[in-house]
Amino acid sequence: MRYAKLMFFYQINGIINLFKQIEQPEKERPKVFAAVAHITSFEESNNPEKGAEKIERLRHKIDRLLTSFAHCDLSIAIHTLPNRHVTAYLPEYQIQCIEIQESPECDPMFVGFTLQEEFVERVEKFDWFLFIEDDIVLYDAFILEKLNNFNRQSGYENAILYPHRFEMYKGTKRYIDLTINAQLSWT
């Protein structure tokens, strides 16, 4: 019995050493471009006390992006208007992680549309593109894996996955896009 154990030990040791010698290929990190539309009032951008809520919201959003995409090469661009943002009041580590892009004076409602051109210009440099308004927070570190899984299993090249968007109001979750009734729902 002792000889059988020794023989087994030497066989396992050889197998373990064999696997140690094989170099594992380094997995390429996905390249993600996150564009955040962010606009405040002139008063909020010039006075951190008046803009405290928006400063905290943007700080939290950037932290969540950095956490959720820590396994990626992430670029964050804040799209805003001149003198209408609170990025100067963010912590230094966040300021170093973002690119601030001020659009020419336009209607604040249309700042997000300027991002379409930005996506087209960067289409060859990135694998994933996110457009996120400054009040939306991403809490899922596996979002890219889930989207890859959806794309692989859907069977369609042009399939689109829409999130269920909701807003919290006085403790109640209110869906923004639609209310699903039994006749429209599917699995």
Side-chain angles (χ1 to χ4, degrees):
M1 184 69 168
R2 180 176 171 193
Y3 293 111
K5 287 182 181 180
L6 281 173
M7 187 175 73
F8 182 67
F9 170 77
Y10 287 117
Q11 286 177 347
I12 287 181
N13 193 26
I15 292 171
I16 291 172
N17 286 333
L18 177 70
F19 283 111
K20 280 183 185 178
Q21 295 170 2
I22 298 174
E23 262 189 51
Q24 296 295 321
E26 194 170 306
K27 192 174 180 182
E28 189 172 316
R29 295 164 50 105
K31 295 175 188 80
V32 178
F33 178 70
V36 179
H38 167 71
I39 299 169
T40 64
S41 69
F42 289 109
E43 295 81 22
E44 290 170 324
S45 67
N46 292 320
N47 184 340
E49 290 175 7
K50 289 185 178 180
E53 182 180 331
K54 291 197 177 168
I55 294 167
E56 181 59 25
R57 188 168 65 194
L58 184 60
R59 186 198 61 75
H60 183 63
K61 164 177 270 332
I62 293 171
D63 275 345
R64 292 307 310 164
L65 285 171
L66 292 171
T67 303
S68 294
F69 296 107
H71 64 290
C72 302
D73 291 334
L74 176 66
S75 294
I76 303 172
I78 307 293
H79 284 262
T80 187
L81 296 174
N83 302 316
R84 300 282 304 269
H85 55 90
V86 295
T87 56
Y89 307 116
L90 293 172
E92 187 62 33
Y93 76 94
Q94 287 186 345
I95 291 173
Q96 293 175 1
C97 294
I98 63 173
E99 175 186 344
I100 301 166
Q101 297 179 341
E102 294 181 343
S103 298
E105 285 296 328
C106 70
D107 185 331
M109 293 295 291
F110 297 114
V111 168
F113 290 103
T114 62
L115 294 170
Q116 294 173 1
E117 297 169 17
E118 194 73 31
F119 288 162
V120 170
E121 289 175 12
R122 298 177 187 231
V123 73
E124 296 295 325
K125 298 176 187 168
F126 292 92
D127 303 317
W128 292 94
F129 294 87
L130 292 123
F131 168 71
I132 306 175
E133 294 178 357
D134 64 355
D135 61 342
I136 297 174
V137 180
L138 184 64
Y139 286 98
D140 192 353
F142 295 103
I143 187 71
L144 295 182
E145 288 79 3
K146 290 176 182 178
L147 289 171
N148 269 332
N149 193 26
F150 170 80
N151 290 338
R152 203 172 36 256
Q153 291 184 9
S154 71
Y156 299 98
E157 285 186 24
N158 58 353
I160 297 175
L161 180 65
Y162 286 104
H164 290 285
R165 297 186 312 156
F166 65 89
E167 299 233 351
M168 293 297 289
Y169 179 71
K170 295 184 178 179
T172 303
K173 186 187 283 188
R174 299 178 188 266
Y175 287 91
I176 298 170
D177 298 319
L178 67 116
T179 303
I180 297 176
N181 68 29
Q183 294 175 338
L184 294 176
S185 63
W186 64 90
T187 59

